[in-house]
């Protein structure tokens, strides 16, 4: 790329023009920082070259000039870094001044701002010093980030027209000897980035916020699932208890109906009592097969009380029974009123 709006190189059609590169970077910034979409979408690339780009906000009448840092694959940039290291001024600053004044003349009523990183920060500083004698063309404010400096260079004179801010990371060795002609602000090191990286000064992308929100929603979903599972277990337990109570009530009604029929018609029928968990689960001392005898009795269709009568050999173990006709045990009590009360 060269000064102005360079044309595409016919021999290399895949090489885009500088302004297209800057426009693509602007679109990327809008996608990464949607919280600033309303501001970034107003910017228009009005000039782009290999060393700097200028963007205009026509609604707010603002002009932004940015200077790129070192490209390690460019010999000219490596040579300029050597000049900065030994305390010299850069020759490319005067060419950038010509570019800037050419575009600035088209937007004289706009407020001008400048920014640069590393080698670009040094260029922005030198250009701001060259524009001190032209207040109408000078920057309103300049912010540089980890600008390259030298222990052999003389200190810059303080800027009077331009508000100047130098931002650096304390562990950055490139900007260690940079002597800012204005304010210096140190930023903490973020361990996930190198000390010289520009990421230390950029806002957090909104995607990090979305990841945090997604994690929070995931935790809320886990809590909801656990809560619903606990409620489901309680509902199932309540339903089981209800079904058990209904079954017990049905058995009690059936037993009462049998006893009532026996008392009215004078006939007996063996009572089929459903054993409870305590009856089946417990065993008496000296009878380890009690549990199995309960189940076998149910399968044979006999009641437990009848079997107890047969095994005991007498009726004294069952005090509620009386001897009926022909010496057979009777289920009828001595007093019919007591029988009704007992069945009720």
């Amino acid at each position: 790329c060269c000064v102005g709006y360079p044309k595409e190189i016919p021999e290399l059609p895949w090489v885009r023009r500088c302004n297209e590169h800057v426009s693509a970077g602007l679109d990327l910034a809008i996608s990464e920082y949607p919280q600033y979409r309303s501001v970034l979408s107003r910017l228009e690339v009005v000039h782009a070259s290999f060393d700097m780009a200028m963007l205009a906000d026509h609604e707010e009448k603002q002009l932004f000039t940015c200077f790129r840092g070192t490209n390690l694959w460019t010999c000219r940039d490596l040579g300029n870094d050597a000049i900065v290291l030994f305390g010299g001024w850069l020759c490319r600053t005067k060419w950038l001044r010509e570019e800037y004044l050419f575009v600035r003349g088209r937007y004289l009523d706009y407020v001008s701002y400048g920014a640069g990183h590393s080698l670009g920060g040094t260029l922005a500083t030198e250009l701001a010093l060259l524009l001190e004698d032209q207040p109408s063309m000078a920057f309103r404010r300049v912010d540089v980030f980890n600008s390259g400096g030298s222990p052999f260079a003389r200190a810059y004179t303080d800027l009077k027209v331009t508000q100047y801010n130098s931002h650096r990371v304390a562990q950055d060795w490139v900007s260690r000897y940079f002597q800012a002609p204005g304010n210096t602000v140190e930023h903490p090191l973020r361990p996930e980035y190198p000390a010289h990286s520009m990421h230390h000064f950029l806002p957090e992308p909104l995607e990090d916020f979305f990841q945090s929100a997604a994690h929070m929603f995931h935790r809320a979903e886990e809590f909801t699932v656990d809560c619903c599972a606990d409620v489901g277990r309680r509902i199932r337990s309540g339903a089981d208890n209800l079904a058990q109570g209904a079954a017990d009530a049905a058995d009690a009604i059936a037993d009462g109906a049998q006893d009532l029929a026996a008392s009215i018609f004078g006939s007996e029928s063996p009572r089929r009592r459903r054993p409870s968990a305590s009856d089946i689960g417990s065993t008496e001392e000296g009878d380890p097969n009690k549990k199995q005898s309960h189940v076998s009795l149910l399968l044979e269709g006999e009641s437990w009380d009848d079997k107890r009568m047969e095994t005991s050999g007498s009726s004294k173990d069952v005090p509620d029974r009386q001897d009926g006709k022909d010496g057979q045990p009777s289920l009828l009590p001595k007093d019919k009123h007591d029988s009704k009360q007992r069945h009720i």
Side-chain angles (χ1 to χ4, degrees):
C1 296
C2 57
V3 178
Y5 294 93
K7 297 181 181 180
E8 293 182 0
I9 304 175
E11 295 81 6
L12 303 174
W14 58 86
V15 177
R16 294 184 297 176
R17 296 177 296 179
C18 293
N19 58 334
E20 293 181 353
H21 278 282
V22 176
S23 298
L26 182 60
D27 293 338
L28 180 61
I30 294 175
S31 64
E32 290 183 350
Y33 304 100
Q35 65 270 38
Y36 302 107
R37 181 186 301 273
S38 60
V39 177
L40 296 175
S41 60
R42 296 199 306 261
L43 298 179
E44 177 190 359
V45 181
V46 295
H47 175 78
S49 67
F50 189 70
D51 296 325
M52 77 175 191
M54 301 180 69
L55 302 91
D57 183 350
H58 302 293
E59 182 177 334
E60 298 293 334
K61 291 188 177 297
Q62 295 174 337
L63 187 66
F64 302 93
T65 305
C66 50
F67 303 88
R68 67 169 182 84
T70 300
N71 184 353
L72 296 177
W73 304 102
T74 305
C75 294
R76 185 168 67 104
D77 288 358
L78 297 178
N80 285 181
D81 289 341
I83 294 174
V84 172
L85 179 61
F86 288 100
W89 273 58
L90 300 173
C91 59
R92 78 167 72 175
T93 305
K94 65 176 184 178
W95 300 110
L96 294 178
R97 180 175 179 270
E98 297 299 324
E99 289 185 47
Y100 172 79
L101 292 177
F102 175 77
V103 180
R104 184 75 171 95
R106 304 203 308 252
Y107 304 97
L108 291 175
D109 56 338
Y110 283 38
V111 179
S112 182
Y113 299 92
H117 171 254
S118 188
L119 178 61
T122 305
L123 290 171
T125 303
E126 294 182 355
L127 181 56
L129 290 168
L130 292 177
L131 296 174
E132 275 287 286
D133 58 348
Q134 298 176 274
S136 61
M137 297 293 186
F139 296 110
R140 170 74 63 82
R141 172 176 169 173
V142 170
D143 289 87
V144 298
F145 307 91
N146 282 342
S147 298
S150 170
F152 311 107
R154 292 183 301 177
Y156 296 113
T157 58
D158 291 340
L159 291 170
K160 299 178 181 179
V161 177
T162 302
Q163 178 185 351
Y164 187 91
N165 298 290
S166 174
H167 306 267
R168 67 178 301 268
V169 178
Q171 291 81 355
D172 178 42
W173 61 269
V174 175
S175 60
R176 180 176 181 180
Y177 298 104
F178 180 75
Q179 303 180 52
N183 300 324
T184 300
V185 181
E186 288 193 355
H187 295 257
L189 175 67
R190 299 174 60 180
E192 64 269 24
Y193 300 114
H196 193 61
S197 174
M198 184 66 185
H199 287 88
H200 294 285
F201 315 104
L202 296 176
E204 290 292 337
L206 202 59
E207 61 181 9
D208 295 342
F209 169 77
F210 288 149
Q211 291 177 0
S212 300
H215 178 70
M216 180 182 65
F217 289 142
H218 179 67
R219 294 293 300 274
E221 181 182 7
E222 291 180 348
F223 173 78
T224 304
V225 170
D226 294 340
C227 179
C228 292
D230 184 65
V231 172
R233 286 192 296 268
R234 291 176 181 272
I235 293 176
R236 287 193 298 270
S237 177
D240 293 341
N241 294 335
L242 183 62
Q244 182 68 29
D248 294 340
D251 291 342
I253 293 174
D255 292 345
Q258 282 187 336
D259 293 342
L260 181 61
S263 62
I264 294 175
F265 298 106
S267 62
E268 300 181 13
S269 61
R271 179 183 301 179
R272 298 179 182 272
R273 184 174 65 87
R274 183 167 56 87
S276 63
S278 59
D279 293 336
I280 297 178
S282 61
T283 57
E284 296 181 2
E285 185 177 359
D287 190 5
N289 296 324
K290 176 72 70 175
K291 179 177 180 180
Q292 184 177 1
S293 63
H294 285 213
V295 177
S296 61
L297 289 176
L298 290 176
L299 294 177
E300 295 172 1
E302 297 177 310
S303 66
W304 174 245
D305 293 335
D306 294 338
K307 196 66 178 177
R308 287 182 61 187
M309 291 286 298
E310 297 175 4
T311 56
S312 62
S314 65
S315 60
K316 64 181 178 179
D317 293 335
V318 186
D320 291 341
R321 295 195 174 190
Q322 303 178 30
D323 291 338
K325 296 179 181 181
D326 302 329
Q328 295 295 329
S330 175
L331 295 175
L332 294 178
K334 297 179 181 180
D335 191 351
K336 293 185 178 181
H337 295 289
D338 295 340
S339 174
K340 287 185 178 181
Q341 292 179 0
R342 181 164 60 90
H343 291 308
I344 291 174

